[in-house]
Each structure stands twice: as structure tokens, then as C-alpha cells.
Amino acid sequence: MQELSALTRRLVSIPSHGDETAAGDAIESWLDEQTDA
């Protein structure tokens, strides 16, 4: 559960109003770190 909270905080801190690329990159990075996906 802490991993999900950390991901949420990370995503909320990323400016993404005009471009969601950075948020997508953060999710991809998290998946690489936390899963075998």
C-alpha cells in the first residue's frame, strides 16, 4: 500500500496540464521498479 501512496504523491507532483508525457514516464518507471510487467 505504501508503494501506491508513493506513486500517487509522485504523479500529483508532476505538472501535466499541457502534456501527459512526464506522468506516463513516471508510471512506466514505477511499473519497471515494482512489477515484472
Side-chain angles (χ1 to χ4, degrees):
M1 185 65 126
Q2 287 181 336
E3 294 89 7
L4 186 56
S5 294
L7 174 62
T8 301
R9 283 191 300 276
R10 184 173 171 184
L11 291 174
V12 169
S13 72
I14 297 171
S16 61
H17 295 282
D19 183 7
E20 298 86 16
T21 303
D25 290 345
I27 293 169
E28 179 182 21
S29 175
W30 183 86
L31 285 170
D32 285 342
E33 295 167 7
Q34 300 294 324
T35 71
D36 293 330

